[in-house]
Amino acid sequence: MGTKPKALLLGKLDHAQETWNGLSPIAELVTSRARSRAEFIDECIRGAHDGVVAICDRAPSSFAATGRYDAELIAALPSTVRFICHNGAGYDSIDVPACTARGILVSHCPKVVDDATADTAMFLILAALRGFNNGILAIRAGVWKSPVPPPPLGHDPQGKTLGILGLGGIGRNLKRKAEVFGMKILYHNRTKPGDETMADGAEYVGFDDLLARSDVLSLNLPLNPKTRNIISTNEFNKMKKGIIIVNTARGGVMDEEALVEAINSGRVLSVGLDVYQQEPNIHPGLVSNPHVCLLPHMGTSTVETKTKMEECTIGNVRAALEKGTLNTVVPEQAHLAANL
Ligand SMILES: *[C@@H]1O[C@H](CO)[C@@H](O)[C@H](O)[C@H]1NC(C)=O
């Protein structure tokens, strides 16, 4: 009898351990004892993971043992590794070109995060428009509605223009939710739609027009070398005075220092943020500002969505083991997966 391929679980499954166990007829399921990246690399070098074909990267709890999947880590992996199945929609923690160069395919979890992330964006839009954070702080401080002097009155979403930067699954989901609140939707996508139906009726505008015409701007694009700091001083200067900005994508797409300057100058009225450049550190100019609404990266933190993400990730491991391919390969490698 031939030996079964190995599948390595990094991090802890919270919802779909049974599904993982269900892979045991087709794979030897192994884990790592590493408590740090140095220990994990050491395990790899000692051959502890030789024979591993697929890695189930249960991020973010795997991060302690891996850190970024950068060129150094990818080079340390055993030569048998062909697949990394990442438990997240965003995969900026993985150097995809380094994986491609080593013949490793990467999967992520799009779609299953759309509702929870768009819900978070909608919450932040309402919170930032209405200035709810002031009230939340005031009531806890025992001063009922407001400190003296009172904070500025908020604004209604009805009739406001929402600009969506990045109209993928999350952006489209948000579009439909924001329309229920009476918002008019504009969007900009770096890859212009070939298929108009993908826009779901939203109006396409150029990047500068999006900045100039939005009352509220929502960032819904992935972080990669092309999108890092895509919103910085130049871009703030092109926006309407008093704009509201919401970021549920990745902190790295917006220059946090420039954002604090734009808030302090009054260009940006308020923000709702779920993500930051150097998590868990947040710019002190944001933490000390009672008007802005800040969440500690909770976009997909629901039982339902976390469960779907783990099922998606394990589903990719199964496809890797059974068919030698992935269900949801990252777009950069779609052509490679298609050729398998
Ligand atoms: C925007 O671009 C992404 C890929 O970058 C694509 O998946 C999405 O369908 C595009 N949206 C539209 C409306 O074309």
Side-chain angles (χ1 to χ4, degrees):
M1 175 198 144
T3 49
K4 284 186 280 186
K6 287 186 189 170
L8 170 64
L9 171 63
L10 295 177
K12 185 176 161 293
L13 293 166
D14 293 325
H15 307 280
Q17 184 68 47
E18 290 295 308
T19 307
W20 176 254
N21 296 347
L23 295 176
S24 59
I26 57 168
E28 185 185 338
L29 303 178
V30 297
T31 53
S32 163
R33 291 161 184 268
R35 286 153 304 173
S36 68
R37 175 178 163 105
E39 285 183 13
F40 178 64
I41 289 179
D42 189 55
E43 283 182 347
C44 290
I45 289 168
R46 283 190 294 105
H49 301 307
D50 284 2
V52 166
V53 173
I55 295 176
C56 179
D57 178 43
R58 203 311 185 184
S61 60
S62 58
F63 199 77
T66 61
R68 273 184 54 77
Y69 283 76
D70 55 12
E72 181 196 32
L73 193 91
I74 303 294
L77 296 176
S79 61
T80 46
V81 172
R82 302 262 330 278
F83 304 95
I84 297 173
C85 304
H86 177 69
N87 189 70
Y91 49 93
D92 47 290
S93 59
I94 302 180
D95 183 338
V96 175
C99 290
T100 303
R102 270 208 60 183
I104 297 173
L105 290 183
V106 179
S107 67
H108 68 140
C109 304
K111 296 191 182 74
V112 293
V113 305
D114 292 355
D115 266 313
T117 310
D119 288 350
T120 304
M122 202 62 232
F123 169 86
L124 289 170
I125 289 170
L126 295 175
L129 273 168
R130 297 287 303 271
F132 282 144
N133 199 64
N134 286 301
I136 291 169
L137 291 176
I139 200 167
R140 298 272 181 196
V143 292
W144 188 227
K145 267 198 182 23
S146 60
V148 180
L153 259 187
H155 295 278
D156 293 321
Q158 286 77 19
K160 301 294 186 301
T161 297
L162 169 64
I164 298 178
L165 183 57
L167 198 71
I170 297 167
R172 268 193 300 278
N173 191 302
L174 174 63
K175 168 196 176 280
R176 292 193 287 272
K177 285 168 178 161
E179 281 173 342
V180 176
F181 285 86
M183 303 188 85
K184 174 183 155 51
I185 316 295
L186 304 175
Y187 81 98
H188 178 74
N189 225 35
R190 284 160 312 120
T191 37
K192 179 138 205 286
D195 176 4
E196 283 296 329
T197 59
M198 295 302 284
D200 198 20
E203 183 188 345
Y204 174 88
V205 293
F207 183 47
D208 283 357
D209 274 347
L210 188 82
L211 301 175
R213 289 173 58 189
S214 299
D215 299 310
V216 179
L217 176 67
S218 176
L219 308 181
N220 297 102
L221 72 177
L223 174 63
N224 58 45
K226 288 183 192 135
T227 63
R228 185 171 292 282
N229 284 334
I230 195 167
I231 302 295
S232 189
T233 308
N234 270 335
E235 289 69 37
F236 291 120
N237 288 339
K238 292 174 184 165
M239 295 175 188
K240 276 190 190 175
K241 188 170 156 47
I243 192 172
I244 300 271
I245 304 176
V246 165
N247 189 2
T248 53
R250 282 290 183 270
V253 302
M254 181 156 59
D255 180 341
E256 219 165 274
E257 186 72 43
L259 171 66
V260 169
E261 279 170 28
I263 295 171
N264 291 344
S265 76
R267 168 73 63 173
V268 173
L269 180 66
S270 189
V271 290
L273 303 176
D274 189 40
V275 291
Y276 307 87
Q277 266 180 342
Q278 300 288 337
E279 294 173 17
N281 302 315
I282 308 176
H283 195 293
L286 294 170
V287 180
S288 63
N289 184 335
H291 304 305
V292 300
C293 187
L294 310 176
L295 292 176
H297 203 147
M298 293 177 70
T300 57
S301 299
T302 69
V303 172
E304 294 81 1
T305 295
K306 290 289 187 200
T307 303
K308 283 188 266 184
M309 290 168 75
E310 288 188 359
E311 296 286 354
C312 165
T313 307
I314 298 167
N316 275 296
V317 174
R318 180 177 281 280
L321 296 166
E322 284 184 340
K323 299 184 278 186
T325 189
L326 295 169
N327 297 329
T328 47
V329 71
V330 297
E332 293 94 322
Q333 294 184 325
H335 60 293
L336 300 173
N339 290 339
L340 283 174

